[in-house]
Structures are given as structure tokens and as C-alpha cells.
């Protein structure tokens, strides 16, 4: 039974660090990356790094207030799913 707790802690930690599930829609129905990145620039984001996860578009950069951020977006409609602001 004592081996169960470290295993449970490892599972919970790995789940907490995983990227969010932004959509379950197939990638062929996502907004094209170039169109999405243009929308980000129009919205005031400064994109340093753009990446695609299995369920999201994600950026590392700065928001319109100039704060350093990591943001996960729904790649179908462009809505923000999760934002992490650097301190």
C-alpha cells in the first residue's frame, strides 16, 4: 500500500504539467497557422515562439500589456484556453 502514494503523486504531478485540451476537433479543421499568427499580432501579442501541441496552438512571448506570457489557444476559434504570466 505504501508504494501506491508515490505513484499517485507522480500521476497527479504529470497531469498538472500537461498542456490543456483546447479542442478535440481534428487538425485539418483548425484555423491555418499563418492566419492565426496574424490575428495574434493584430490582438497585440508579440510572438517569440509559436508551437502546436496535440490539441492547442501555444505561444511564448508578450501580451499587449508587455507582460511575458505563455498562452494556449483553441486552434479552431482562437479563444484563450490558458494563460501563464511570468513573474
Amino acid at each position: 500500500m505504501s508504494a501506491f502514494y508515490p505513484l499517485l503523486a507522480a500521476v497527479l504531478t504529470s497531469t498538472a504539467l500537461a498542456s490543456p485540451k483546447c479542442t478535440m476537433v481534428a487538425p485539418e479543421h483548425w484555423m491555418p497557422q499563418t492566419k492565426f499568427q496574424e490575428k495574434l499580432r493584430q490582438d497585440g501579442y508579440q510572438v517569440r515562439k509559436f508551437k502546436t501541441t496535440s490539441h492547442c496552438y501555444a505561444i511564448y512571448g508578450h501580451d499587449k500589456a508587455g507582460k511575458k506570457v505563455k498562452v494556449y489557444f483553441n486552434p479552431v476559434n482562437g479563444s484563450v484556453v490558458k494563460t501563464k504570466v511570468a513573474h
Side-chain angles (χ1 to χ4, degrees), residues 30-67:
W30 293 7
M31 189 183 309
Q33 289 184 23
T34 54
K35 182 179 176 182
F36 183 78
Q37 289 182 50
E38 179 59 33
K39 178 187 179 312
L40 291 175
R41 283 189 282 282
Q42 291 173 356
D43 291 345
Y45 287 97
Q46 295 176 2
V47 179
R48 184 176 52 80
K49 182 177 179 183
F50 179 88
K51 71 178 201 173
T52 302
T53 68
S54 57
H55 301 283
C56 305
Y57 283 157
I59 66 157
Y60 298 84
H62 295 85
D63 64 11
K64 57 186 162 190
K67 294 180 183 175

Side-chain angles (χ1 to χ4, degrees), residues 6-39:
L7 178 61
L8 178 62
V11 169
L12 292 176
T13 301
S14 66
T15 303
L17 298 176
S19 64
K21 296 243 190 288
C22 301
T23 186
M24 294 306 294
V25 175
E28 59 267 15
H29 300 291
W30 293 7
M31 189 183 309
Q33 289 184 23
T34 54
K35 182 179 176 182
F36 183 78
Q37 289 182 50
E38 179 59 33
K39 178 187 179 312

